Amino acid sequence: MPGKIISLFIFIIVSPFSVLAQNGTADSKTDLIPFQLINNKTILPVKVGDSRELRIILDSGMGWDGLIIMNPGLRDSIKLINPQEANLGGAGSGNSQPAFVSDSMSFIISKTEFQNQRIVVLTSDHYKGFKNDGVIGYSLLGHYLMEIDYDNMTISLYPPGRKTIDNSWTEIPVTFNERNIPCIDVLVSIEGETPVPLNCYIDYASSESIELLMKPGQKFTLPFSTEEYYLGRGLSGDIYGRRGKISKVVLGPYEIKNLFAAFAPAEVRSKQRGADAVVANNLLRRFNLIFDYSNKKFFIKPNSHFNGQF
């Protein structure tokens, strides 16, 4: 029987991770994971217990070890151990979502088993019709040096310190907030004016290129021409804003020009204090990437999609 109701926010920290192999020589991979890019979301194949192969979104906004399963119909095949009732909140202007939570579970991605994980299964139909099954983040990003290769559509996992990073990569300064979410600075020009620096966090589950957060004292103006826009559904409800083309985003030494940006109310879209914007998958997919959380480093290298029009 479920225990007492507990209240959770998506950015909580949970049980320690225990699958990482520390042995091996330099540049030795722990695993190579194929992925799909669907609607600008990076989709990983995951199995939990006797479940079918699940379609799980890589989400850097999930700063704890485990999975969130959005499809309540999967609960029987996942077979939660000693589940507790919970309320799970996130982006959006509505209420949190009811869920069952189970600790000390495991799941498999490719050939790697992840142990001591928290599994959260939503019990409502909040994401009814959603084509993917859930999200994962810190279980991979927080414990491995992770290389994402959009040319070959693979993710390589390395134990920290086991990957040589040559000078073909550009290091981008990164910090991590109290919820284990990576934050970077970019320069943004809306209508061709001198670019202004914006403090951003990376939301890998977002399909946009960049989302500029509208709030008092914002550092940018909206483009002359925008249209009303539905950004999507967060755990706490739908998110509406505007969308328009901007002049450029500058990330390190690289300029991405003439791209669409979303504009969203900060109080609805973001729970991150001090953030000016959200850097998302449709911009980052133009690069191959290395996330090295253990050393607080982030590297980029333009790939074959860099000049694509998405």
Side-chain angles (χ1 to χ4, degrees), residues 173-187:
V174 63
T175 59
F176 293 84
N177 67 16
E178 68 277 8
R179 292 167 175 164
N180 291 329
I181 297 174
C183 304
I184 61 175
D185 290 330
V186 303
L187 298 172

Side-chain angles (χ1 to χ4, degrees), residues 39-54:
N39 296 327
N40 291 331
K41 298 183 186 296
T42 300
I43 310 297
L44 307 181
V46 179
K47 291 200 71 174
V48 185
D50 296 328
S51 75
R52 58 171 170 78
E53 185 173 274
L54 307 179

Side-chain angles (χ1 to χ4, degrees), residues 218-239:
Q218 67 191 37
K219 301 173 184 176
F220 56 87
T221 58
L222 270 66
F224 177 76
S225 176
T226 63
E227 59 183 13
E228 292 184 358
Y229 187 60
Y230 174 63
L231 276 78
R233 177 165 294 181
L235 279 165
S236 295
D238 291 328
I239 304 169

Side-chain angles (χ1 to χ4, degrees), residues 133-298:
D133 297 306
V135 295
I136 188 173
Y138 200 76
S139 295
L140 295 120
L141 289 160
H143 305 281
Y144 291 99
L145 185 151
M146 189 169 85
E147 180 179 350
I148 305 176
D149 185 339
Y150 282 101
D151 290 316
N152 295 307
M153 301 295 284
T154 56
I155 289 174
S156 297
L157 302 180
Y158 299 86
R162 299 293 183 182
K163 166 69 175 175
T164 301
I165 302 173
D166 61 39
N167 59 12
S168 67
W169 295 89
T170 298
E171 182 175 351
I172 302 298
V174 63
T175 59
F176 293 84
N177 67 16
E178 68 277 8
R179 292 167 175 164
N180 291 329
I181 297 174
C183 304
I184 61 175
D185 290 330
V186 303
L187 298 172
V188 171
S189 174
I190 302 295
E191 299 276 9
E193 75 283 359
T194 300
V196 296
L198 299 181
N199 177 258
C200 311
Y201 64 92
I202 297 175
D203 185 349
Y204 222 77
S206 170
S207 297
E208 303 299 323
S209 292
I210 188 167
E211 301 178 43
L212 302 177
L213 301 175
M214 298 184 295
K215 59 182 179 178
Q218 67 191 37
K219 301 173 184 176
F220 56 87
T221 58
L222 270 66
F224 177 76
S225 176
T226 63
E227 59 183 13
E228 292 184 358
Y229 187 60
Y230 174 63
L231 276 78
R233 177 165 294 181
L235 279 165
S236 295
D238 291 328
I239 304 169
Y240 294 90
R242 304 196 70 82
R243 191 170 190 254
K245 185 164 281 191
I246 64 174
S247 178
K248 65 182 174 181
V249 174
V250 182
L251 177 57
Y254 302 106
E255 294 187 353
I256 301 94
K257 297 181 179 181
N258 299 318
L259 70 163
F260 281 99
F263 299 84
E267 70 274 12
V268 176
R269 171 62 180 91
S270 175
K271 311 297 185 190
Q272 308 305 309
R273 291 178 297 175
D276 300 309
V278 181
V279 172
N281 211 352
N282 200 28
L283 188 148
L284 293 175
R285 63 176 289 197
R286 301 166 187 267
F287 302 89
N288 292 338
L289 310 167
I290 292 176
F291 288 94
D292 185 1
Y293 277 32
S294 65
N295 291 306
K296 294 181 169 55
K297 292 185 176 182
F298 175 53

